[in-house]
Amino acid sequence: MRILLIAEQRQGKWNKVSFETLAAAQQLATETGGRLVAALPGQGIRALAEELAGYRLDEVLVVEHERLEPYTADGFTLALRQLIEREAPELVLLPHTYQVRDFAPKLAAALGRALLADCIGYRYENGRVVFVRQMFQGRTAADVTFAGPPPWLATIQAGAFRADQLERGSSPAPVRAVSVELSPEQIRVRPGELFREAKQAVDLTQAPVIVAVGRGIKEKENIALAEKLAKLLGGELAASRPICDEGWLPMERQIGSSGQTVAPKLYIALGISGAIQHVVGMKGSRTIVAINKDPNAPIFEIADYGIVADLFEIVPALNEALEQSASS
Amino acid sequence: MKIAVCVKQVPAKDAPLHIAPDGTWIRETDISFEMNEPDSYALEEALRLKEKHGGEVVAISLGPERAKQTLKEALAKGADRAIHIADEEFYRLDPLAAAQALARALEPERCDLVLTGLQSDDHGFGQTGVLLAELLGLPHATIIMSIEVQDGSLRLKRELEAGWFQWIELPLPALLTIQSGINKVRYATLKGIMAAKKKEIRTIPRTELLPSLAPTQKLERIYVPEKTKKTEFLQGPPKEVAAKLLEKLKHEARVLGSS
């Protein structure tokens, strides 16, 4: 299968999911016996393209244009459409990043082709690729295949493939510059500067222990219970997105795709269902404890220790036991 | 300002899910449904823009008969009218077909602004809004956390990864996908519920908008994911479970000090 990987950089910095997606692309290319080409869109990115060429692939395409920096959905869609029509790959793989989510559906619609978004794995069976993705916030998985003619587009979820399994090439792959046509009036979006809301007062990535709360905490007042547990364990308090949306905890304490990515020694998830947007931010934790009333909550799939119970019964008992052992 | 807002009805968050015999959808009997959460933020944003700048809010939903309940909720909260694209087997549509049906219903409306949630809690494709923008020929922006209308254009705060944001500007008409948490969603008032009874819900069969389907992707089957990690479940009265867990964390996982 002829595979085209679209790698992502922003202002000269890699988005790491690019390499995880490249790992998926290498595996697919090996299994299906096809040519693997990587493309990098942007401007002033030759050095990054050379870096990409060190990995085992057949060619690297540098898609440079002054109107590709900064990123706009209009610019990227127009450029990549030209690239795909010219190079005629069968499968186009992209990392499932915020940027890709912003333009890939538009690109698919412009090509009149399918986009399988947010894939977490694949199986190659009977000469076709079956992609696996999640539905119902991770409560079910789904097998999805392409119908109709190529090119087919798919995006790969963060953490689904491992960048450390990437194979390097025996010699650097050739790097070829590809030109695209973009005129100013085609770009309707006017992008501004990137900024952060506030300098992050808490760096959750450094915490050895994290106690995180989700919807199951029910009320803002109940967060004190989790805060106490975090304190007794010498850790930090964090939350899933809905808690920060409610304003019960500041956004800087959010774990997940739109918040921080953490890998503490111990992660205790209280009343968190385990939607993929949260899980991508914490699944690298060494030991995961999940306390949830719903035995089918997807968080239990990644938990080392699970307690199917009311957190309002378990957490006070934990706090009490920790207080006793501290005073004894 | 004429604003269309796409709302989808999805299974309630706490609804127990059982896979239907054909293996491509869930059993719908005995579960409750609700407005997709990101869509409820999109609706709220549409209502606030109308309150500030005047105009009309049209709620549109593609789904089976039950989806009308979600449109009634939108009307009760303040939408002016609703369009229901009726399709009992909506779950068989691929994202492109769903967006095509929505586009054809919205084309004659000539809206200034189209809002959608950033993704649905059921399929979770996260594509409908952006596909719709391309099909309607509109500029778009995704994962929006703040909207300011300036004459003829929009100033938007876009969420990026890991706590980063970006201000961007778009000309009108445009399409935006809305991130959860952009606002505080209102409840329908009794007065609103009464007023909604007089508001129009126009039903258009999906087959009228999109008579034939040319699927680009196929959902083969859905299933309960296989566990990749061996989870040890602890059971018993709370006190016992708490003691057991702390014991395990100290001596088995060795992630807590044993003092």
Side-chain angles (χ1 to χ4, degrees):
Chain A
M1 189 177 263
R2 292 191 307 279
I3 301 171
L4 177 68
L5 164 95
I6 314 279
E8 179 175 321
Q9 58 82 32
R10 193 173 69 198
Q11 297 178 334
K13 286 201 191 77
W14 288 113
N15 186 311
K16 284 189 298 185
V17 193
S18 300
F19 294 102
E20 298 170 12
T21 310
L22 178 58
Q26 283 186 340
Q27 289 170 31
L28 263 163
T30 304
E31 277 184 70
T32 64
R35 197 175 141 77
L36 171 59
V37 175
L40 186 64
Q43 172 74 342
I45 46 165
R46 186 81 196 189
L48 292 182
E50 304 280 356
E51 190 184 329
L52 210 50
Y55 294 98
R56 186 177 63 75
L57 34 75
D58 294 291
E59 198 177 18
V60 175
L61 307 178
V62 204
V63 189
E64 285 188 298
H65 196 289
E66 56 176 350
R67 283 187 256 287
L68 291 177
E69 177 62 50
Y71 161 84
T72 61
D74 287 336
F76 268 52
T77 301
L78 289 161
L80 293 175
R81 184 182 178 175
Q82 291 167 39
L83 178 78
I84 290 168
E85 285 176 347
R86 205 176 315 151
E87 301 293 325
E90 287 164 285
L91 180 64
V92 181
L93 286 184
L94 306 105
H96 192 74
T97 61
Y98 275 36
Q99 182 165 300
V100 165
R101 287 160 72 179
D102 191 56
F103 76 80
K106 181 176 166 71
L107 178 62
L111 293 163
R113 295 295 193 268
L115 170 66
L116 298 192
D118 215 355
C119 298
I120 56 167
Y122 73 88
R123 297 192 309 275
Y124 182 56
E125 32 180 61
N126 309 321
R128 60 174 197 164
V129 183
V130 179
F131 281 96
V132 181
R133 59 186 303 279
Q134 295 187 323
M135 276 177 42
F136 298 103
Q137 301 272 299
R139 291 160 81 193
T140 77
D143 286 351
V144 197
T145 53
F146 289 106
W152 305 302
L153 284 71
T155 69
I156 303 293
Q157 174 63 247
F161 289 83
R162 292 176 51 176
D164 60 11
Q165 288 178 353
L166 271 175
E167 291 175 50
R168 309 220 32 115
S170 47
S171 59
V175 178
R176 170 161 60 104
V178 181
S179 63
V180 288
E181 310 258 334
L182 295 174
S183 56
E185 72 280 0
Q186 289 175 303
I187 296 172
R188 299 165 293 183
V189 187
R190 278 197 305 270
E193 291 295 302
L194 308 184
F195 65 96
R196 279 193 133 139
E197 205 79 296
K199 55 175 191 298
Q200 300 198 332
V202 272
D203 186 0
L204 296 177
T205 62
Q206 299 304 315
V209 176
I210 289 177
V211 176
V213 295
R215 272 181 215 279
I217 201 79
K218 290 198 178 104
E219 315 241 354
K220 188 178 180 181
E221 289 63 40
N222 298 335
I223 290 178
L225 206 57
E227 197 170 10
K228 188 170 172 189
L229 178 60
K231 211 169 173 185
L232 287 165
L233 292 170
E236 287 285 353
L237 182 64
S240 64
R241 172 126 202 156
I243 301 304
C244 302
D245 282 349
E246 289 287 348
W248 294 353
L249 279 175
M251 282 287 178
E252 66 193 28
R253 290 202 181 258
Q254 189 203 145
I255 302 290
S257 54
S258 53
Q260 299 197 46
T261 300
V262 296
K265 267 196 321 190
L266 173 61
Y267 192 95
I268 302 183
L270 302 176
I272 289 178
S273 70
I276 191 152
Q277 294 86 347
H278 181 74
V279 168
V280 295
M282 49 65 77
K283 67 178 169 190
S285 305
R286 196 160 114 202
T287 299
I288 298 171
V289 176
I291 303 175
N292 201 303
K293 270 199 303 199
D294 176 8
N296 298 316
I299 191 78
F300 287 123
E301 277 153 44
I302 57 157
D304 298 278
Y305 300 104
I307 301 173
V308 180
D310 187 346
L311 75 92
F312 298 109
E313 289 180 6
I314 304 297
V315 179
L318 279 170
N319 287 345
E320 199 181 318
L322 285 164
E323 275 173 332
Q324 273 172 9
S325 73
S327 63
S328 66
Chain B
M1 201 167 181
K2 185 170 175 181
I3 306 168
V5 56
C6 301
V7 290
K8 187 178 191 182
Q9 194 190 40
V10 298
K13 286 205 168 51
D14 54 357
L17 298 184
H18 299 283
I19 291 159
D22 84 336
T24 62
W25 192 241
I26 48 156
R27 268 200 338 242
E28 290 206 350
T29 44
D30 308 325
I31 62 168
S32 55
F33 292 87
E34 62 189 17
M35 188 184 293
N36 182 46
E37 190 177 29
D39 300 349
S40 67
Y41 286 100
L43 171 66
E44 177 65 36
E45 207 54 29
L47 297 173
R48 288 181 186 206
L49 287 169
K50 179 195 152 182
E51 282 157 7
K52 206 164 166 191
H53 304 281
E56 187 187 16
V57 172
V58 184
I60 181 165
S61 189
L62 190 166
E65 186 63 23
R66 60 170 166 76
K68 273 190 182 157
Q69 193 49 48
T70 284
L71 288 172
K72 280 180 191 159
E73 184 188 332
L75 294 173
K77 286 183 172 180
D80 298 285
R81 60 191 170 87
I83 301 170
H84 173 217
I85 304 176
D87 188 346
E88 287 306 312
E89 296 201 327
F90 73 100
Y91 56 86
R92 293 188 191 279
L93 298 180
D94 68 5
L96 189 57
Q100 280 166 338
L102 287 165
R104 285 179 190 171
L106 286 176
E107 261 158 19
E109 296 287 339
R110 307 209 156 273
C111 296
D112 300 297
L113 189 61
V114 181
L115 301 183
T116 73
L118 85 161
Q119 65 189 30
S120 62
D121 288 348
D122 56 356
H123 281 112
F125 290 128
Q127 302 184 25
T128 309
V130 181
L131 290 170
L132 191 53
E134 175 67 13
L135 296 171
L136 291 171
L138 298 176
H140 77 271
T142 54
I143 321 188
I144 297 305
M145 284 299 280
S146 148
I147 304 175
E148 287 167 32
V149 182
Q150 304 162 330
D151 36 22
S153 72
L154 297 169
R155 185 165 184 264
L156 307 163
K157 184 172 145 192
R158 213 185 132 217
E159 186 182 293
L160 306 172
E161 280 131 333
W164 286 89
F165 296 91
Q166 182 182 30
W167 285 105
I168 62 170
E169 284 180 24
L170 272 189
L172 284 168
L175 181 143
L176 307 176
T177 79
I178 303 299
Q179 171 66 294
S180 297
I182 183 174
N183 50 39
K184 286 269 168 286
V185 171
R186 73 189 66 188
Y187 291 99
T189 59
L190 189 59
K191 200 176 147 206
I193 294 166
M194 297 310 288
K197 292 188 200 295
K198 295 197 185 78
K199 293 178 180 172
E200 177 202 32
I201 300 181
R202 184 159 62 98
T203 297
I204 316 172
R206 190 269 301 162
T207 47
E208 199 173 286
L209 295 163
L210 197 67
S212 63
L213 297 174
T216 57
Q217 56 181 273
K218 185 169 179 247
L219 184 60
E220 304 271 346
R221 66 180 187 111
I222 62 174
Y223 49 96
V224 176
E226 288 148 35
K227 286 177 74 74
T228 49
K229 210 164 183 179
K230 209 173 158 223
T231 307
E232 186 178 349
F233 284 96
L234 308 177
Q235 290 171 318
K239 257 195 154 146
E240 232 172 79
V241 172
K244 248 192 255 178
L245 177 66
L246 293 175
E247 181 65 20
K248 297 257 178 205
L249 293 177
K250 277 174 198 163
H251 301 296
E252 200 174 86
R254 295 173 186 275
V255 287
L256 287 185
S258 50
S259 63

